[in-house]
Amino acid sequence: MITPYLNIFFSFLTALLISYLAIPKLIYFAEKLRLLDDAGDRSSHKGSTPFFGGIAIFTGIICSLLFWADIENIQYILVSILIVFIVGVIDDLRQITAFKKLIGQIIATLILIFLGDIHIDSMHGVLGVYDLPLWIGTLFTVFVVIVITNGYNLIDGVDGLAGGIGLVSSVSFGVIALIMEQTDMALIAFTLMGALLGFLKYNFFPARIFMGDTGSLVVGMILSVLAINCIKYGLVTETFKLQNKGPLLAISFLAIPLFDSLRVFVIRSIKGNGPLVAGRDHIHHAFLDLNYGHKYTSLVLCAISAFLILGSYFLLEYNVNVSITVLAGVSYLVLFIPFYILKSKSK
């Protein structure tokens, strides 16, 4: 009899192999059909690169989950992933509007909430708020999914960065789920990890393929599900009784995309620019302007992400509001440093 832990390992391995083996075929067909991302004025890459890596990530994840997971427990998660996958493919092919993508994300989230019972029903004392009425919890859950999914999409600007950050986050959520003996969530997290590892072989600098909106929407949706689960249940074992620390853990696991996106949103709003308009003001652009290059930009930001996650362990014993404030302060200090250096060099 295969134990739940072996299921998790085999699902991880299956996703890794499918993603790794499928991508060369996708690169071949994408080049043949000219499904390429041509470098523009804002692009950080040169030449033309296939952008359908998300198909391999999705295929690896779905095939693994269908084979190794208890489908009845995660069926609505699979439906939500399928919806954002379809939206992503259409967007990669035809460039649909941000509003239409948003509608797709909202529909997928509402399925999670009302059919999958995956939603946030308490803030666990963040800003003094505890239990949430159903309608407020629904709106907040939709908000959280939109923020995480689009925040993750916005860091996909450097070879290996989105995949690397997703890898760090999925491992972190997976470890917490294992500690909590939430085998379904652990299996989803480590399956995502496997698919991203296979993808990174071809996406790390110099990238031979991008994940595209297909990949970023799928990975963003899965990270959202894992974050909602973490916020809802926290960390409760025989040793730890930290249910109210779920928000801190979820934020720390996604600190780079969340805090960088919020920083950009605020700065653009203050300057009177559209917060959703593309630009070169993200943290990875600052590192590129400092001549770090794609490889070291990705490695440094992934290392910073891991540092913030490890640092959050030392905040668990404090009040959740104090902990999140300290995490935000340290994150913004770290994000500020490369921009300060750039400004100093320009004087």
Side-chain angles (χ1 to χ4, degrees):
M1 181 178 177
I2 297 179
T3 67
Y5 298 105
L6 277 177
N7 265 358
I8 291 170
F9 172 74
F10 285 130
S11 187
F12 157 79
L13 191 60
T14 302
L16 169 62
L17 290 174
I18 291 175
S19 177
Y20 179 82
L21 296 174
I23 287 178
K25 302 295 184 184
L26 283 171
I27 292 173
Y28 172 78
F29 284 111
E31 290 176 343
K32 200 173 182 86
L33 299 174
R34 299 299 300 169
L35 297 173
L36 307 172
D37 181 17
D38 297 317
D41 294 335
R42 294 183 300 100
S43 299
S44 57
H45 69 281
K46 298 178 181 178
S48 300
T49 308
F51 53 75
F52 264 139
I55 292 179
I57 294 172
F58 170 81
T59 304
I61 291 168
I62 291 297
C63 290
S64 299
L65 294 180
L66 288 175
F67 195 83
W68 297 107
D70 186 338
I71 301 302
E72 187 176 349
N73 293 343
I74 66 166
Q75 56 186 318
Y76 298 112
I77 296 176
L78 295 179
V79 172
S80 297
I81 294 171
L82 178 61
I83 289 172
V84 296
F85 169 75
I86 293 170
V87 171
V89 170
I90 295 172
D91 185 50
D92 280 334
L93 289 174
R94 301 186 59 183
Q95 291 289 304
I96 60 176
T97 64
F99 178 74
K100 290 180 179 177
K101 283 195 288 185
L102 194 62
I103 294 299
Q105 293 171 46
I106 291 173
I107 292 171
T109 307
L110 292 177
I111 288 173
L112 288 174
I113 295 170
F114 292 110
L115 297 179
D117 194 29
I118 298 172
H119 59 92
I120 299 169
D121 53 15
S122 174
M123 294 282 284
H124 301 291
V126 176
L127 301 178
V129 178
Y130 288 88
D131 292 342
L132 299 173
L134 178 60
W135 69 274
I136 293 180
T138 298
L139 291 176
F140 186 62
T141 302
V142 171
F143 172 76
V144 166
V145 173
I146 290 172
V147 168
I148 292 174
T149 303
N150 290 283
Y152 183 76
N153 181 50
L154 290 173
I155 64 163
D156 186 21
V158 174
D159 294 352
L161 179 57
I165 292 293
L167 191 67
V168 173
S169 301
S170 61
V171 172
S172 303
F173 282 121
V175 169
I176 293 297
L178 277 180
I179 293 172
M180 292 275 288
E181 297 184 353
Q182 297 176 326
T183 53
D184 290 324
M185 289 297 167
L187 189 143
I188 291 171
F190 285 108
T191 299
L192 172 60
M193 174 189 171
L196 287 174
L197 269 177
F199 167 73
L200 277 170
K201 167 65 172 66
Y202 303 95
N203 180 247
F204 205 67
F205 183 80
R208 293 176 57 196
I209 194 169
F210 300 146
M211 68 168 61
D213 273 5
T214 304
S216 63
L217 287 175
V218 167
V219 176
M221 176 58 69
I222 295 173
L223 291 176
S224 298
V225 169
L226 296 171
I228 291 168
N229 179 73
C230 186
I231 292 169
K232 188 171 184 175
Y233 296 106
L235 179 58
V236 180
T237 65
E238 292 181 1
T239 306
F240 301 100
K241 306 295 181 184
L242 301 169
Q243 184 175 6
N244 69 325
K245 295 304 192 295
L248 168 67
L249 292 171
I251 292 171
S252 69
F253 296 166
L254 297 165
I256 294 295
L258 290 181
F259 289 123
D260 185 52
S261 297
L262 179 59
R263 179 191 61 80
V264 170
F265 185 90
V266 171
I267 290 175
R268 291 181 185 178
S269 297
I270 291 173
K271 291 181 177 180
N273 300 326
L276 298 179
V277 176
R280 281 188 54 85
D281 44 7
H282 285 279
I283 183 66
H284 50 271
H285 293 130
F287 276 105
L288 288 178
D289 290 342
L290 287 171
N291 296 318
Y292 270 67
H294 284 244
K295 180 188 292 186
Y296 290 106
T297 294
S298 295
L299 290 174
V300 168
L301 287 173
C302 287
I304 291 172
S305 178
F307 162 77
L308 293 172
I309 291 168
L310 293 173
S312 67
Y313 172 80
F314 299 98
L315 299 174
L316 289 174
E317 61 183 282
Y318 298 103
N319 174 275
V320 66
N321 291 293
V322 173
S323 301
I324 292 175
T325 301
V326 171
L327 175 64
V330 173
S331 299
Y332 279 118
L333 177 62
V334 172
L335 292 175
F336 172 75
I337 291 173
F339 291 99
Y340 176 79
I341 295 173
L342 267 178
K343 191 173 181 179
S344 300
K345 285 187 173 183
S346 64
K347 289 182 179 180

